[in-house]
Amino acid sequence: MSDFNEGSLKGSNTALKTVLGVCACLLLIGLLIAVLFPREGMPERRIQCINNMKQIVLALHLYYAQHELFLPAYATDEDGKPLHSWRVLILPYLEQKELYDQIRLDEPWDSEYNKQFHDQMPMIYLCPSSQSSPRNGFTSYQMVVGPNTISDGSSAKSFNDVTA
């Protein structure tokens, strides 16, 4: 008798295919964004944009590994009011734990207390080709939200919840 369970192998293959599909989708989106940026002064800026996206994707993977769920697009209070975006939620995975620990997660991002941290948002959230600043509330990187994506807003999903 063998301990080999063919059914569990099929389930792990499905999960692996889903993981690879999600990773391939994120990589494709990143590459498309990198190709579409303006060309002036490009090699350094394009490389930095790609590196920013790689670090963000790695942080998303680390979040998933710890929570066994994708992070939601935004966190809410008990009444469903949005408090913080995914960018705040992954700060600890971007070596920004000290900043994350100072933010009051039970208050809105724009509360009087949390406003003091707006100018401390990491520059990783801004592509160097952009004319804006994350410290002015702007970011170059967005999360796609909706059915069959990793987030439909405030709920967290697992790989099994994401369908093609």
Side-chain angles (χ1 to χ4, degrees):
M1 208 73 200
S2 171
D3 288 337
F4 180 73
N5 182 341
E6 189 174 314
S8 67
L9 181 60
K10 288 180 183 175
S12 66
N13 283 340
T14 303
L16 180 61
K17 287 178 185 176
T18 304
V19 170
L20 293 175
V22 170
C23 291
C25 182
L26 290 172
L27 181 61
L28 179 61
I29 291 169
L31 291 174
L32 285 173
I33 290 170
V35 169
L36 296 175
F37 284 126
R39 300 272 181 199
E40 67 277 355
M42 263 338 265
E44 301 83 20
R45 290 181 187 179
R46 182 178 303 164
I47 289 168
Q48 185 59 51
C49 284
I50 291 169
N51 286 337
N52 288 354
M53 287 185 285
K54 285 179 182 179
Q55 289 179 352
I56 290 169
V57 169
L58 177 60
L60 295 173
H61 280 281
L62 292 171
Y63 182 98
Y64 189 91
Q66 181 174 353
H67 299 278
E68 296 183 0
L69 292 169
F70 291 109
L71 76 160
Y74 53 88
T76 63
D77 64 15
E78 56 276 349
D79 296 325
K81 180 182 175 191
L83 297 174
H84 300 276
S85 77
W86 61 273
R87 287 175 287 282
V88 171
L89 301 176
I90 64 168
L91 286 173
Y93 307 96
L94 292 170
E95 299 179 359
Q96 297 289 326
K97 179 124 173 62
E98 186 177 325
L99 174 59
Y100 177 82
D101 289 340
Q102 294 177 59
I103 296 169
R104 291 185 182 162
L105 298 175
D106 60 341
E107 294 182 17
W109 173 242
D110 58 355
S111 72
E112 285 305 312
Y113 176 82
N114 284 333
K115 282 181 182 179
Q116 66 182 308
F117 304 109
H118 288 190
D119 65 346
Q120 296 179 41
M121 278 294 104
M123 293 304 289
I124 192 170
Y125 293 137
L126 184 71
C127 180
S129 295
S130 174
Q131 302 299 316
S132 298
S133 168
R135 297 185 171 142
N136 292 331
F138 179 83
T139 179
S140 300
Y141 310 105
Q142 307 289 321
M143 180 182 284
V144 177
V145 177
N148 304 324
T149 66
I150 65 170
S151 178
D152 58 6
S154 63
S155 65
K157 295 182 178 182
S158 71
F159 277 113
N160 292 334
D161 298 327
V162 180
T163 59

